[in-house]
Amino acid sequence: MNFSIYMTGLMMGLSLIVAIGAQNAFVLRQGLRNENVFAVCLACALSDAVLIILGVTSFRQISALLPWLDPVMRYAGAAFLIWYGARSLYSAFRSSAVLAAGEAKSSSFRQTLAMCLALTWLNPHVYLDTVALLGTISTRFPGNEVSFAAGAITGSLLFFFSLGFGARWLRPIFAKPASWRILETLIAFVMWMIATKLLSGI
């Protein structure tokens, strides 16, 4: 294990994942609700690990064999994010009793996990960051790709669990219905902004 390359992977993984996105917003909301937090964080981290390993080991072969994958993922992901944004905006206008942190309607474990995996695997930006970008950067370290991938995976693990379980410190703020409305509205616009970028090819 090359420690310096491991740290490079760690910092690259963190720098890419910290940006606000659909997946992070969902983890934050689950943390605030204290609902299936461990499972959501673990699902996100494991999904990232699979994609990072895929990018480091197979990025060049995938892009050459499946040139149609990019447009398909872009439009499918945009459609999903538009729907999810509308769902969040609808939640922002629901009654205060539903939006209150202590009274928020809970989703089943299966529903929560399905939504988490959908936000992860149907978002083309996840593939761009993990498979394409990290896969490309790893080629700079021939023979040390394992160290780079291990660092990036560690960064993902640290971030998701810090975000999910650290959200508890924000619960007093989100005990107010108005705070939930603001969060849901912000999530909606973030989803639509990402969808717009996908459709415009950015």
Side-chain angles (χ1 to χ4, degrees):
M1 177 73 71
N2 187 309
F3 184 72
S4 63
I5 295 176
Y6 170 86
M7 290 303 299
T8 299
L10 175 65
M11 297 311 297
M12 282 303 306
L14 285 173
S15 66
L16 289 175
I17 205 171
V18 164
I20 295 176
Q23 188 184 44
N24 295 351
F26 183 77
V27 174
L28 174 62
R29 183 162 56 185
Q30 293 304 116
L32 289 169
R33 290 180 171 179
N34 194 27
E35 183 179 298
N36 301 312
V37 181
F38 181 82
V40 166
C41 293
L42 185 62
C44 289
L46 289 179
S47 295
D48 263 18
V50 171
L51 291 169
I52 290 168
I53 292 171
L54 185 65
V56 170
T57 59
S58 310
F59 171 67
R60 290 178 179 173
Q61 295 89 331
I62 292 172
S63 59
L65 290 174
L66 304 174
W68 50 265
L69 188 60
D70 177 69
V72 169
M73 290 304 304
R74 180 182 301 163
Y75 289 112
F80 177 78
L81 291 174
I82 290 171
W83 169 80
Y84 190 84
R87 181 175 178 269
S88 294
L89 195 61
Y90 171 76
S91 296
F93 287 97
R94 294 170 68 185
S95 66
S96 59
V98 174
L99 286 172
E103 302 175 13
K105 182 180 179 181
S106 297
S107 300
S108 69
F109 174 79
R110 183 175 296 180
Q111 290 174 327
T112 300
L113 190 59
M115 181 62 70
C116 175
L117 293 175
L119 285 169
T120 300
W121 291 91
L122 294 181
N123 183 0
H125 278 208
V126 173
Y127 295 91
L128 177 63
D129 290 345
T130 56
V131 178
L133 190 52
L134 290 178
T136 300
I137 295 172
S138 69
T139 61
R140 296 171 50 196
F141 310 108
N144 289 290
E145 291 89 351
V146 172
S147 297
F148 181 84
I153 291 170
T154 301
S156 176
L157 190 72
L158 289 174
F159 175 79
F160 282 120
F161 276 90
S162 297
L163 179 63
F165 286 96
R168 68 182 63 186
W169 301 105
L170 299 175
R171 283 177 197 157
I173 297 174
F174 285 92
K176 301 177 181 178
S179 298
W180 277 101
R181 288 196 179 96
I182 293 171
L183 177 64
E184 295 283 6
T185 302
L186 178 62
I187 289 173
F189 282 104
V190 167
M191 302 304 140
W192 290 342
M193 182 178 65
I194 296 172
T196 300
K197 289 182 178 180
L198 289 175
L199 292 174
S200 62
I202 297 176

